[in-house]
Amino acid sequence: VNIRPQLSNEVTQQRAFTGQWQVVILLVVPIILIAWRYSFRKLAISLAFLTVLDGALGFIVTDHLGLRPWPYVTILIFRTLVYLLVGYVVSWLANEQRQQNARLAQANRQLSAAASTLEQLTISRERNRLARELHDTLAHSLSAVTIQLEAVDALWKTDPDKAHAMLERSLSLTRAG
């Protein structure tokens, strides 16, 4: 007669504490989300509130069922430590990702500035190249045309055919320039 209530009490206690591990699975996702979105400090505060609330409810249930509270306290402490560990890891990973995103954004800004500077430098070099080419080609062509036109002017009255040929060469050189 004495053994039956004790077995029933042990079975009830086992069933009550077995259900505690289902709570771990249920609460891991919100803890991961809180750790990812907020700081570890806010997660720790949330876990402290959750642990106090869970402990109070656990003591009420164990008292109501006439169960020993110490196995429940052990599970509660272990579960809270697991939550803190998972939260810390997730919070650390989220912080690392935020820092990496900030470094990446800074590198993108620097790359954009370098690309803009390179573009301006390329434009400036191309303008300088065109200016040199125009100066060298055009100055040479104009000098040659000037000399040929002066020769045409001098030959115009004495040898009109030769002057006409020089005039044609001058026109051709002008077109080429």
Side-chain angles (χ1 to χ4, degrees):
V1 175
N2 226 0
I3 293 174
R4 184 99 172 134
Q6 189 177 16
L7 283 176
S8 177
N9 195 7
E10 285 179 20
V11 170
T12 305
Q13 187 148 359
Q14 280 182 343
R15 286 182 184 163
F17 294 136
T18 303
Q20 293 298 314
W21 295 110
Q22 294 170 351
V23 174
V24 170
I25 295 169
L26 180 69
L27 291 177
V28 164
V29 172
I31 286 171
I32 289 173
L33 293 175
I34 290 170
W36 189 263
R37 176 66 177 99
Y38 302 104
S39 67
F40 181 72
R41 177 181 290 171
K42 290 182 181 179
L43 173 72
I45 292 169
S46 300
L47 284 177
F49 176 74
L50 180 67
T51 302
V52 168
L53 181 65
D54 194 14
L57 290 174
F59 279 118
I60 292 171
V61 168
T62 55
D63 187 47
H64 179 70
L65 295 176
L67 302 175
R68 293 174 301 191
W70 297 115
Y72 181 78
V73 170
T74 305
I75 291 172
L76 181 64
I77 291 171
F78 181 74
R79 190 172 59 204
T80 302
L81 291 175
V82 168
Y83 289 158
L84 282 172
L85 178 66
V86 168
Y88 177 76
V89 169
V90 171
S91 180
W92 179 79
L93 288 172
N95 191 35
E96 285 296 314
Q97 184 183 21
R98 286 183 197 105
Q99 289 176 358
Q100 188 175 21
N101 285 343
R103 288 190 302 266
L104 184 60
Q106 177 64 24
N108 280 338
R109 285 190 295 274
Q110 290 174 345
L111 186 60
S112 293
S116 177
T117 301
L118 182 62
E119 182 181 6
Q120 292 300 320
L121 182 61
T122 303
I123 290 170
S124 178
R125 284 182 179 169
E126 182 63 16
R127 285 180 182 161
N128 288 339
R129 185 191 65 79
L130 284 173
R132 276 192 312 275
E133 192 174 304
L134 281 175
H135 178 266
D136 294 347
T137 305
L138 193 57
H140 176 69
S141 297
L142 287 176
S143 296
V145 168
T146 301
I147 291 171
Q148 285 184 355
L149 287 176
E150 286 175 355
V152 167
D153 187 38
L155 289 174
W156 192 260
K157 292 184 182 166
T158 59
D159 193 0
D161 291 332
K162 196 172 183 180
H164 185 63
M166 286 183 90
L167 183 59
E168 287 296 321
R169 277 191 304 239
S170 295
L171 285 172
S172 174
L173 184 62
T174 305
R175 287 186 191 107

